[in-house]
Amino acid sequence: MLHMENDRDTAIAPTVTPTTTTGQQGGELSSQSRPMGSKVPLGTFVYASAPARIDLAGGWTDTIPITHEHGGKVVNVAVQVNNRAPYTVKARRTEALILSLSYDPNIPSQHFHSIEQIRDHADPLVPGALLKACLVASGILGITAMRHDGDYKTMAEALKHSGGGLELEIRSSLPVGSGMGTSSILIATILAVLKTLMGKPYTNDDLFYETLDVEQMMNTGGGWQDQVGGIMPGFKVSTCELDLPIQLKTNTIEVLEEFITIFNSRLLLIYTGKTRLAKNLLQTVLMNWAGQEPDVVDTMHRLVADATQCEDALRQGDLKAVGTVLTRYFADKRYLSETTLSHPPIIAHLLSHLSPHLEGFSLAGAGGGGFLTAILKPGLEKDQVVKEVREAMALDRNGGGEEEVDGDSMWGWSATVDRQGLVVQVGSPCY
């Protein structure tokens, strides 16, 4: 069994009055106490929102089994994208004994009438698999991963005995395969909402641990840094000691308000137009780790050491050092996943014009696509740099160079440090 420790953890027990769970950058996470056993009434929505995360150092060392065979350390930051939390969830119980799931605003809500219809959650490519796995893991339907049907023959029967019908809606404003921790953060947010509906208390650690469970149920594998990155606000460092059981410890990295302002002004978020399933890259990394080649093991050592350097640089307000570590981190991720600057091809083209303006850069998350995160050198105007790079890339295309991603899709993004982390509220929207 996995055991996790968090020196900022406080039990959260839901109530039917609007309350919020937030944290402040550079301070203790605060959680308003909520009475146990108070279910949310039928028809009342529970709302939740969560930021994305940008990994700054140490990724892959959080992945099972690397994290307990080697030990892991990751530094990341929670971010709002285009001035809002990109992930939202809402759910309510209903009198109508219908299970209704909505995961895409362009597709009507899907209604499920048999228990058999949620049994395919083990395939991450099945539409709605993430929601289905969360429903099973949470126990809100009285159905477990080990015994799907239990004593119930129909979905209506399961819903009746568990407190009524259920509507669950999730939304993400980021593209699929963004590298920003979407799947894991959404899982943790869904679990928080479902627990609130049921009147069950929970802690941050519960969400971290149960998100790992859901990812195993979906056969996607993964690690712990994404859910930590989105549930907790601001900059933080997480460590996992060698050996089992897994013990995760997460601390907020205290930085000055001035540093956050500078970080926001110099942070670029650029969409490559290429999506990828992290599971595919994960398989390559795990195979390389299993081979225990000296260069692979040395790379894992360096990832952990660089996470410490990044943590120290953040505490000292040294953004140049953060950028240096970020670039080295990107090189190590490419080595472990056997990708290059041509994965996707637009990266080499983009960096040929952008890199002279940068302190550091990396594809977010596993790499291979999604968003490029970059830190500008001091004294540069973000809008002017973007304008110059876009013009240079346009000239390349006119001269027969490769086609760029649609301009608005590529450049129409901004990221700023998030100060709240996961927010859960009953009865009125929190987003």
Side-chain angles (χ1 to χ4, degrees), residues 59-81:
W60 288 127
T61 69
D62 67 304
T63 305
I64 297 171
I66 297 169
T67 195
H68 61 78
E69 292 179 354
H70 176 272
K73 185 170 188 176
V74 176
V75 174
N76 61 31
V77 58
V79 293
Q80 295 197 359
V81 179

Side-chain angles (χ1 to χ4, degrees), residues 256-316:
L256 296 177
E257 186 68 30
E258 179 184 3
F259 178 83
I260 295 177
T261 301
I262 294 172
F263 183 87
N264 288 341
S265 70
R266 292 170 57 185
L267 180 64
L268 282 177
L269 188 65
I270 305 165
Y271 183 53
T272 66
K274 172 73 172 180
T275 62
R276 85 288 174 273
L277 186 65
K279 178 183 178 181
N280 298 334
L281 294 177
L282 172 63
Q283 291 171 344
T284 299
V285 173
L286 293 184
M287 285 191 292
N288 285 333
W289 171 251
Q292 289 292 289
E293 291 291 333
D295 285 348
V296 172
V297 176
D298 288 345
T299 301
M300 292 298 176
H301 293 338
R302 184 167 55 251
L303 285 169
V304 170
D306 276 354
T308 298
Q309 286 193 31
C310 184
E311 177 189 5
D312 293 342
L314 287 169
R315 294 188 191 281
Q316 296 163 12

Side-chain angles (χ1 to χ4, degrees), residues 86-238:
Y87 309 124
T88 60
V89 177
K90 69 176 183 178
R92 66 177 177 177
R93 302 308 299 250
T94 62
E95 291 187 8
L97 298 179
I98 298 173
L99 174 62
S100 175
L101 305 181
S102 176
Y103 49 85
D104 186 331
N106 298 313
I107 299 174
S109 298
Q110 304 293 298
H111 292 176
F112 299 86
H113 302 285
S114 73
I115 294 172
E116 186 68 27
Q117 288 179 294
I118 65 170
R119 283 185 168 177
D120 57 1
H121 60 71
D123 182 352
L125 298 179
V126 168
L130 186 147
L131 289 80
K132 296 175 185 179
C134 288
L135 292 175
V136 173
S138 70
I140 193 167
L141 301 180
I143 300 168
T144 69
M146 297 299 295
R147 189 180 63 173
H148 284 279
D149 47 1
D151 297 325
Y152 309 126
K153 296 181 180 179
T154 66
M155 179 62 70
E157 188 178 356
L159 291 168
K160 180 178 179 180
H161 283 83
S162 63
L166 178 64
E167 295 178 7
L168 173 60
E169 175 188 292
I170 67 170
R171 293 289 184 264
S172 169
S173 62
L174 301 184
V176 175
S178 67
M180 305 282 279
T182 298
S183 295
S184 299
I185 297 171
L186 274 174
I187 289 170
T189 306
I190 292 169
L191 292 174
V193 167
L194 296 180
K195 288 175 182 294
T196 302
L197 273 178
M198 293 186 287
K200 286 188 174 181
Y202 61 90
T203 64
N204 285 337
D205 281 348
D206 292 332
L207 300 179
F208 301 158
Y209 164 66
E210 291 176 25
T211 298
L212 285 172
D213 278 353
V214 171
E215 290 177 334
Q216 296 302 316
M217 290 170 59
M218 295 175 62
N219 291 314
T220 56
W224 37 259
Q225 76 135 321
D226 293 347
Q227 55 266 40
V228 172
I231 296 305
M232 296 180 65
F235 298 92
K236 78 281 296 183
V237 56
S238 302

Side-chain angles (χ1 to χ4, degrees), residues 17 124 325 365 393:
T17 57
V325 171
M393 294 181 74

Side-chain angles (χ1 to χ4, degrees), residues 81-82 173-175 267-271 371 382 408-415:
V81 179
N82 294 347
S173 62
L174 301 184
L267 180 64
L268 282 177
L269 188 65
I270 305 165
Y271 183 53
F371 281 95
K382 187 185 299 186
D408 290 339
S409 296
M410 187 174 188
W411 298 100
W413 307 89
S414 66

